[in-house]
């Protein structure tokens, strides 16, 4: 048996000195008011997680709630571009203030702090994780009903930091139709279970393409597996989003707040009914 370090968080042994697990939750800024925090996760990159985050924030804002987006994808921040934000976040002695979108959604992202939005973020894991924490502790979020946290893909350092440091009320898993998705979704779902965070729903992006002329649907990336994946992991809410050139163009032009579509309405219902 190795010598005791008196650090129970790094030890798997059971002894008389073991203490109860310590909470790693960080307190928000004293001037912040945040009611619900929803994480948006994916097992792999390139499935449209940031777009789904943006659409959910816009949808809930349209329902009369005050929403915010904390962009925790530090090395691949795309939230500001989707909303057409180019102003820099400002601060004073009280703290840092998020940037407001045209419809009043509060946003904080590393791209709102960099001198040039194309500058790469070449930081090591601990620095990135601490930056995410500071977006929670140092930013003044004003009377937010629903905060959406756009997490980086996978189950690494930053998602773990978000799960441990922020009071996540539930997560939405974003995926795509490929066969291997079941395994990847499983990893994200099991990580949430380990952190005692409920999975509120699965959104399958790029689920189909609808012909604008005949309105027939085509499964470009293969047949959907979302229902069987949801059933396997006991997830009640599912949603399918199409391959939509207009939606992609809206993101590229920073006009996501003008989108038209009801694909995420059921997912929004689940979020709105969250106790």
């Amino acid at each position: 048996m190795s010598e005791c370090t008196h650090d129970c968080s790094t030890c798997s042994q059971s002894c008389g000195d073991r203490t109860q697990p310590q909470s790693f939750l960080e307190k928000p800024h004293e001037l912040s008011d945040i009611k619900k925090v929803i994480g948006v996760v994916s097992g792999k990159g390139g499935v449209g997680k940031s777009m789904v985050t943006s659409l959910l924030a816009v949808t809930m804002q349209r329902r009369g709630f005050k929403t915010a987006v904390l962009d925790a994808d530090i090395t691949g921040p795309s939230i500001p571009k989707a909303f057409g934000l180019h102003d820099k976040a400002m601060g004073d002695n009280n703290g840092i203030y998020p940037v407001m979108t045209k419809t009043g959604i509060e946003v904080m992202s590393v791209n709102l702090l960099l001198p040039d939005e194309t500058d790469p973020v070449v930081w090591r894991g601990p620095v990135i994780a601490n930056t995410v924490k500071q977006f929670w502790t140092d930013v003044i979020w004003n009377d937010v009903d629903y905060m959406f946290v756009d997490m980086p893909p996978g189950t690494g350092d930053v998602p773990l930091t978000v799960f441990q440091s922020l009071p996540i009320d539930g997560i939405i898993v974003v995926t795509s139709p490929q066969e291997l998705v079941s395994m990847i979704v499983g990893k994200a779902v099991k990580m949430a279970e380990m952190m005692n965070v409920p999975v509120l729903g699965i959104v399958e992006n790029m689920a189909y393409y609808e012909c604008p002329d005949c309105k027939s649907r085509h499964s470009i990336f293969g047949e959907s597996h979302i229902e069987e994946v949801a059933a396997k992991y006991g997830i009640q809410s599912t949603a399918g989003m199409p391959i939509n050139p207009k939606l992609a163009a809206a993101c590229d032009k920073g006009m996501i707040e003008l989108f038209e579509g009801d694909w995420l309405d059921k997912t929004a219902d689940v979020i709105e009914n969250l106790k």
Side-chain angles (χ1 to χ4, degrees):
M1 182 174 177
S2 59
E3 184 180 352
C4 182
T5 64
H6 303 289
D7 182 2
C8 296
S9 66
T10 62
C11 177
S12 61
Q13 299 295 326
S14 179
C15 69
D17 293 330
R18 174 168 286 281
T19 59
Q20 290 298 318
Q22 183 180 0
S23 173
F24 294 101
L25 283 177
E26 297 282 349
K27 291 183 178 179
H29 192 285
E30 59 182 6
L31 297 178
S32 290
D33 181 10
I34 307 156
K35 296 179 178 65
K36 296 291 183 183
V37 182
I38 311 298
V40 184
V41 308
S42 66
K44 62 188 289 292
V47 297
K49 170 182 53 59
S50 296
M51 182 173 69
V52 170
T53 303
S54 303
L55 293 176
L56 285 173
V58 173
T59 299
M60 296 306 289
Q61 187 85 356
R62 288 177 179 176
R63 294 187 177 195
F65 298 102
K66 179 68 183 295
T67 66
V69 179
L70 189 160
D71 189 355
D73 196 349
I74 303 297
T75 59
S78 52
I79 294 295
K81 182 174 178 60
F83 286 97
L85 298 177
H86 302 287
D87 295 337
K88 300 304 177 186
M90 306 299 289
D92 56 25
N93 291 334
N94 292 321
I96 305 169
Y97 297 93
V99 176
M100 200 84 72
T101 72
K102 296 179 183 67
T103 63
I105 298 171
E106 294 185 354
V107 175
M108 177 51 66
S109 170
V110 75
N111 257 20
L112 303 176
L113 300 171
L114 297 174
D116 189 317
E117 61 185 24
T118 61
D119 289 345
V121 176
V122 189
W123 300 342
R124 293 194 181 276
V127 179
I128 294 174
N130 281 329
T131 301
V132 173
K133 286 184 184 180
Q134 286 181 287
F135 284 175
W136 175 256
T137 60
D138 296 359
V139 174
I140 301 172
W141 302 95
N142 182 37
D143 195 22
V144 174
D145 293 309
Y146 294 98
M147 171 182 283
F148 294 92
V149 181
D150 184 26
M151 297 197 206
T155 55
D157 227 13
V158 175
L160 180 60
T161 296
V162 172
F163 277 122
Q164 290 184 325
S165 303
L166 275 61
I168 303 293
D169 293 286
I171 65 166
I172 302 295
V173 181
V174 183
T175 182
S176 58
Q178 285 89 343
E179 287 274 3
L180 55 80
V181 159
S182 176
M183 177 191 70
I184 295 172
V185 169
K187 291 179 182 293
V189 170
K190 288 178 180 178
M191 182 179 188
E193 289 176 349
M194 289 171 62
M195 300 296 158
N196 295 316
V197 175
V199 180
L200 304 178
I202 302 181
V203 176
E204 186 177 59
N205 191 29
M206 300 177 283
Y208 58 90
Y209 172 75
E210 185 175 283
C211 175
D213 298 322
C214 66
K215 303 301 180 182
S216 61
R217 293 186 176 185
H218 306 274
S219 301
I220 305 295
F221 293 110
E223 294 300 321
S224 173
H225 299 281
I226 189 170
E227 296 299 338
E228 57 195 73
V229 171
K232 180 177 180 180
Y233 295 105
I235 300 169
Q236 301 297 318
S237 175
T238 62
M241 289 189 57
I243 300 169
N244 189 312
K246 289 184 178 179
L247 194 55
C251 284
D252 291 340
K253 294 177 181 177
M255 302 171 67
I256 195 68
E257 290 167 292
L258 299 180
F259 90 94
E260 296 179 1
D262 58 0
W263 315 291
L264 297 178
D265 281 359
K266 290 183 179 179
T267 304
D269 290 342
V270 173
I271 294 171
E272 186 173 345
N273 293 325
L274 197 60
K275 302 298 184 183

